[in-house]
Amino acid sequence: MDHFPTNWGRPRNDAFDAYATYPIHQRPYNGPKDSFADGVQRTQQPIVTGTSVLAIKYKDGVMMAADNLASYGSLARFKDVQRLHQVGNYTVIGAGGDMSDFQYIQYILEELSIDEISAQDGHELGPVEIHEYMSQLMYARRSKMDPLWNSLLIGGFKDGKRFLSYVDLLGTTYSASTLATGYGAFIAQPLLRKAVEGREDVITEEEARKILEDSLRVLFYRDARSLNKFQIAAISSAGVSISDSMQLDTAWSFAENIRGYGAQTQ
Amino acid sequence: MTIPDMDSVAHPQERRFNPYTENGGTILAIAGADFSVIAGDTRQSEGYSIQTRYAPKVFRLTDRAVLAVNGFAADGNMFVKKVKQRLEWYRHAHAKDMPLRAIARLIQTMLYGRRFFPYYVYNILGGVEEDGTGAVYSFDPVGSYEREACRAAGAAQSLVQPFLDNQIYFKNQQAAQGTSHPAHLPLETVLSIVIDSFTSATERHIEVGDGLEIFIALAKGRTLQGMESIRGLQELTVAEDGERLFVMRRDLKKD
C-alpha cells in the first residue's frame, strides 16, 4: 500500500519499487541555475610549471632566486618567465608549481594591495601580512579540494626585521633562515644551510648573491627541468630590487673524459 | 563457469590530490599532583626532508592550559588558531578563562564537527584543572578523548609510551616489600623522564630531533620548588598569585 498521494496514479513497479523511491524526490528549485556547474573541474595536476625557488637571510635583509623557465611537462616551453613577484614595498613572493595558479595569485595580491592602499589608514602590507594571507588562502583552497598548485616562498624586510617563510598547496607553512622549494629542497638546501646557518648577521650582499648563484648552478647541472637563465631579488631597508635576467656559466669539459655511466673507465 | 579472480580484473585508476601529509615530530605530556608538563620536539619534516629545525608544536592557550598538536602541521596550526578564537569568545562572554575540562570537551566537539573531513591532528591538552590538580587529556583526530596521567603521541609514540607506562604507571615493576609505588612523581623526576624520552626517541627515529620545547604549568599557590636549578627557564605568566606557566628549550641532535 502506497501512503503517498503524490505517487497515486503515477507509474511504478510493485515488484521492486512499490513506493516509487527512485529516482530520489528532490524539492522543486526555481532559483538561479549555473548551467556551467557540471562542467567545472578542480585542479588535479599542474600543467605549466616552474621549478625550484631559493631564499636566504643575510646581513641586510633577505635574498631570493629563481630561474626563468616555465616547463610544459618535459618541454622547456617559456624561457623568460618571472617567478619572483614584488608585493608592496617590503615583500617578494617566489613561486614554483603551476604557473597559471601563480598568475591568479598575482592578480589576487594586486587586488589586495589596491584595497589596502585605498584604505589610507597609515598601515602598509608587509611580508608578515602577505604570508598570513597566503597561508589562509592556500589552506582554504586545499580544504575545498581545489588547491592552488604552488610552493611559495615569501621574503621581505620591514621595520628592521627580516622575514622568510614557506607556504604550499596543502597550507603547510614553515620558516627558517634558508629555504628552498622543489628540487632545491634536496640539492640546494644542504648547500644553503652549510653556508648560512649561524652566519645570517655576517653574510654580505655580495656573498649572499654568490651562495645563491652557486646553488642555482648545481640545480642547472642536476635538475632536468631547470634553466641557466635566472633572476635574484634582494629585499632590505633600501626596499625591493629584482635583478634583470642573468646567465649562469657552466663547465662541461669534464664530459669528454666520461665513459659509461658510473665506474666504467674504458 | 569459473569465478574471476578479482586481482586480475582491471579497474580504473585515478590520480587525485591528497589533502593530507605527515610532518613528523613527537609530543608528550605528563600530569603531576599540582603541575603538568607538556613537551614537543621542534623538527618539522616531510618524507626524508627536514622542512625546518624550529616549528613549535606546543602552544599556550591560557595561563593554565597548553595544547600540543601533532600530525599534519597545516591542520594542526589551523586547529590551534580556531581553538584560541573560541577561547577568546568564551573570555568575552563569561569574563573568565575556560576551565580545562571544558576546553577538553570543546576540542572534542570541534574535532567531531569535521568527522567527514578530519583535522589530521593528534592533540594533547595539558594543564591545571579547576581543583588544582595536574591534568592531561589526549584526543584522536575525530574527537575521542580521555583524561590520563601521561600520554605520548606522534612519530615516536611507540618508543616513548611504553617507557612512560613503566616509569609513570610502574607497569611490570614490583614495589619493594612493605612499600608501594608513589601515586605522583616530583617535578624533577618528571622533567628527567621527559628529556630522556626525547633524547632516546631522537636516537632511533629519523623524524625526531633538532630541539625540544617543554611547558610547565603550576597550580595556584605551588612554590617553585624543584625548578631552581633549571637553566633557561622563562615565565609566560605575568602575575605571581594565580596559576603559573613556564617554558624551557633544549637542543636535540640534528642528524
Side-chain angles (χ1 to χ4, degrees):
Chain A
M1 177 179 173
D2 189 347
H3 316 277
F4 298 110
T6 43
N7 287 338
W8 298 341
R10 290 197 177 168
R12 70 170 184 271
N13 188 326
D14 280 331
F16 52 76
D17 192 17
Y19 287 84
T21 56
Y22 186 83
I24 287 185
H25 179 256
Q26 305 273 33
R27 285 203 187 149
Y29 175 74
N30 292 312
K33 289 182 181 48
D34 178 9
S35 42
F36 192 56
D38 288 335
V40 171
Q41 275 193 322
R42 299 172 184 146
T43 308
Q44 297 299 340
Q45 53 171 318
I47 305 294
V48 174
T49 57
T51 183
S52 325
V53 183
L54 312 178
I56 57 175
K57 285 185 182 173
Y58 70 105
K59 187 161 122 269
D60 307 319
V62 173
M63 207 175 271
M64 301 173 65
D67 68 19
N68 288 122
L69 179 64
S71 310
Y72 186 59
S74 62
L75 171 66
R77 180 77 181 82
F78 303 105
K79 292 159 77 167
D80 57 1
V81 160
Q82 231 190 300
R83 297 196 291 118
L84 299 172
H85 183 244
Q86 179 172 352
V87 185
N89 297 326
Y90 308 99
T91 320
V92 170
I93 183 169
D98 190 271
M99 288 290 104
S100 71
D101 283 345
F102 182 50
Q103 286 174 347
Y104 175 70
I105 287 169
Q106 290 181 36
Y107 164 75
I108 293 288
L109 289 173
E110 185 67 32
E111 297 276 290
L112 183 71
S113 299
I114 289 170
D115 286 345
E116 288 294 314
I117 290 167
S118 321
Q120 291 188 295
D121 57 2
H123 291 289
E124 290 178 280
L125 287 179
V128 177
E129 291 77 39
I130 301 293
H131 172 75
E132 184 62 30
Y133 182 84
M134 287 310 305
S135 310
Q136 298 276 28
L137 178 67
M138 301 296 273
Y139 183 79
R141 288 290 297 253
R142 88 100 213 184
S143 300
K144 293 198 294 184
M145 294 294 288
D146 181 15
L148 290 165
W149 207 291
N150 293 108
S151 308
L152 306 167
L153 292 188
I154 293 149
F157 187 91
K158 186 167 183 256
D159 301 330
K161 283 201 285 285
R162 297 171 296 207
F163 180 89
L164 182 54
S165 245
Y166 168 101
V167 60
D168 70 8
L169 71 168
L170 293 174
T172 303
T173 56
Y174 51 90
S175 189
S177 49
T178 63
L179 289 179
T181 68
Y183 268 98
F186 297 96
I187 295 173
Q189 184 68 293
L191 304 172
L192 298 177
R193 280 178 177 162
K194 189 79 201 283
V196 174
E197 234 146 53
R199 302 179 56 237
E200 296 89 346
D201 300 327
V202 165
I203 298 176
T204 60
E205 190 191 319
E206 217 181 291
E207 195 191 340
R209 217 170 272 276
K210 177 152 194 321
I211 291 167
L212 287 176
E213 278 183 31
D214 286 346
S215 296
L216 283 171
R217 186 175 298 106
V218 180
L219 282 171
F220 180 60
Y221 281 130
R222 287 300 185 175
D223 177 1
R225 305 284 183 265
S226 63
L227 191 65
N228 60 348
K229 190 165 156 234
F230 68 98
Q231 283 173 293
I232 291 191
I235 317 98
S236 63
S237 54
V240 173
S241 110
I242 302 181
S243 73
D244 293 329
S245 292
M246 295 182 275
Q247 184 93 338
L248 269 173
D249 54 315
T250 47
W252 295 94
S253 55
F254 69 90
E256 300 203 358
N257 303 322
I258 301 289
R259 304 279 176 273
Y261 293 96
Q264 186 182 335
T265 47
Q266 289 303 315
Chain B
M1 183 180 116
T2 52
I3 300 160
D5 145 38
M6 286 314 292
D7 288 342
S8 59
V9 171
H11 45 87
Q13 306 283 353
E14 202 187 334
R15 216 163 138 232
R16 280 169 58 118
F17 164 63
N18 181 4
Y20 297 111
T21 188
E22 287 193 55
N23 294 115
T26 296
I27 52 177
L28 160 60
I30 299 173
D34 52 4
F35 65 87
S36 188
V37 172
I38 310 93
D41 71 332
T42 63
R43 174 178 284 180
Q44 187 172 302
S45 48
E46 188 174 21
Y48 284 107
S49 294
I50 296 173
Q51 291 181 332
T52 181
R53 297 193 190 277
Y54 183 72
K57 286 195 271 290
V58 187
F59 300 92
R60 172 197 173 281
L61 297 179
T62 68
D63 281 348
R64 56 178 123 98
V66 175
L67 182 62
V69 294
N70 187 251
F72 171 41
D75 271 349
N77 291 330
M78 186 55 65
F79 186 70
V80 167
K81 263 202 178 114
K82 293 195 169 179
V83 170
K84 282 183 172 173
Q85 172 106 90
R86 294 291 296 268
L87 293 179
E88 193 177 335
W89 289 340
Y90 184 94
R91 186 85 204 248
H92 285 298
H94 299 93
K96 62 169 183 165
D97 276 335
M98 210 165 172
L100 195 69
R101 64 181 191 286
I103 299 177
R105 179 59 68 85
L106 170 69
I107 289 174
Q108 171 176 68
T109 56
M110 288 176 72
L111 289 171
Y112 198 81
R114 286 274 296 258
R115 171 66 176 76
F116 301 110
F117 184 10
Y119 291 106
Y120 183 0
V121 190
Y122 289 89
N123 288 289
I124 301 181
L125 175 71
V128 180
E129 224 10 302
E130 260 179 328
D131 60 1
T133 53
V136 166
Y137 291 91
S138 65
F139 301 78
D140 83 346
V142 286
S144 166
Y145 81 107
E146 189 185 12
R147 182 175 174 183
E148 297 174 290
C150 67
R151 170 60 66 188
Q157 174 182 35
S158 53
L159 285 73
V160 175
Q161 188 64 49
F163 177 56
L164 263 35
D165 292 340
N166 175 257
Q167 294 293 307
I168 310 276
Y169 295 117
F170 299 106
K171 294 282 170 69
N172 298 103
Q173 267 190 278
Q174 199 172 42
Q177 278 285 21
T179 67
S180 61
H181 294 299
H184 292 286
L185 292 165
L187 181 59
E188 305 97 312
T189 311
V190 168
L191 285 173
S192 298
I193 291 173
V194 169
I195 293 174
D196 287 346
S197 300
F198 276 93
T199 49
S200 308
T202 302
E203 286 295 317
R204 289 294 186 173
H205 199 111
I206 58 169
E207 292 175 339
V208 180
D210 292 329
L212 173 59
E213 230 167 36
I214 306 178
F215 282 68
I216 306 169
L218 301 179
K220 199 187 314 211
R222 189 209 188 271
T223 61
L224 295 192
Q225 188 205 30
M227 295 169 66
E228 307 85 349
S229 55
I230 300 175
R231 130 190 89 79
L233 193 66
Q234 189 194 334
E235 179 153 12
L236 299 175
T237 39
V238 179
E240 282 188 15
D241 49 349
E243 285 90 353
R244 299 175 78 174
L245 189 60
F246 297 84
V247 65
M248 54 185 272
R249 287 177 191 94
R250 292 286 180 271
D251 279 339
L252 292 171
K253 284 166 80 170
K254 294 182 186 307
D255 60 10

